[in-house]
Amino acid sequence: VTHDQEEAMTMASRIAIMSEGRFLQVGAPGEIYETPATRFVADFIGNVNLMDGTLEVDQPDHVIIGCTDCKHFVGHGITGNEGMAVTVALRPEKIHLSRKTPEDEYNTAQGTIKELSYFGSFTVYHVELASGARLKVSMTNVQRHRDDEFTWGDTVYAHWSRSAHVVLTQ
């Protein structure tokens, strides 16, 4: 038993997440991080961007979710129905930044870099979207000097793949 997430993620082969005396999810660390079962689990383990939205299209092979700042195209179906409220969980390391508008109309949001923190091997950006919501983006620093370095006040497009997010119905 621990409240230290790093300890649990690195030492355990199975983790149980509890809230108010109930088990919310039991599984391997990677499973819990990559496919959280509930909003609480997603928010409890690691860093995550949570976006509330509405299920607009529900097909067996994909869903489209409308959120305030963007539309999400998720490359798999879910158990739900059109019009239901859902939350999209998107980990910061799954997001990419660019100066150019991405070609795909889905899974992209425009914003302004309001904060950044350089950690050596990676940089964390806080991108303010049109609604005022903030999106946390973590990018690895694979090159010593980059031509596309971002800084405070830059207008950027955050974008992610069709398999990057998890749709939460609880």
Side-chain angles (χ1 to χ4, degrees):
V1 175
T2 183
H3 288 93
D4 185 333
Q5 289 183 22
E6 188 174 328
E7 180 182 27
M9 295 292 282
T10 58
M11 295 184 67
S13 59
R14 285 177 44 97
I15 296 174
I17 305 294
M18 292 180 68
S19 176
E20 298 178 2
R22 291 184 38 230
F23 286 105
L24 299 180
Q25 188 170 356
V26 178
E31 176 187 334
I32 288 175
Y33 183 83
E34 296 293 346
T35 55
T38 67
R39 183 183 180 111
F40 180 89
V41 172
D43 198 27
F44 185 75
I45 295 292
N47 290 310
V48 68
N49 297 291
L50 296 171
M51 295 174 253
D52 294 323
T54 303
L55 186 59
E56 295 179 352
V57 175
D58 183 17
Q59 296 294 317
D61 65 340
H62 75 278
V63 297
I64 296 175
I65 298 163
C67 291
T68 302
D69 293 297
C70 66
K71 285 193 182 276
H72 298 272
F73 187 106
V74 181
H76 59 79
I78 67 166
T79 303
N81 48 47
E82 292 178 5
M84 76 183 284
V86 296
T87 300
V88 175
L90 184 59
R91 299 287 183 188
E93 70 276 6
K94 310 282 188 214
I95 305 171
H96 307 283
L97 295 178
S98 67
R99 294 186 194 286
K100 296 179 183 176
T101 307
E103 292 181 20
D104 194 345
E105 66 181 296
Y106 298 104
N107 303 337
T108 186
Q110 184 180 18
T112 304
I113 295 176
K114 292 295 183 179
E115 296 178 39
L116 66 89
S117 300
Y118 180 81
F119 291 97
S121 62
F122 65 97
T123 301
V124 175
Y125 299 92
H126 293 256
V127 179
E128 186 173 83
L129 305 178
S131 69
R134 294 232 176 155
L135 196 62
K136 186 183 280 188
V137 180
S138 176
M139 294 178 54
T140 57
N141 298 318
V142 292
Q143 297 175 356
R144 183 176 291 243
H145 302 287
R146 295 189 346 229
D147 295 332
D148 66 345
E149 286 192 52
F150 305 107
T151 192
W152 295 273
D154 284 355
T155 297
V156 294
Y157 292 91
H159 54 96
W160 49 92
S161 76
R162 293 180 172 196
S163 63
H165 20 41
V166 175
V167 180
L168 305 169
T169 57
Q170 311 180 37

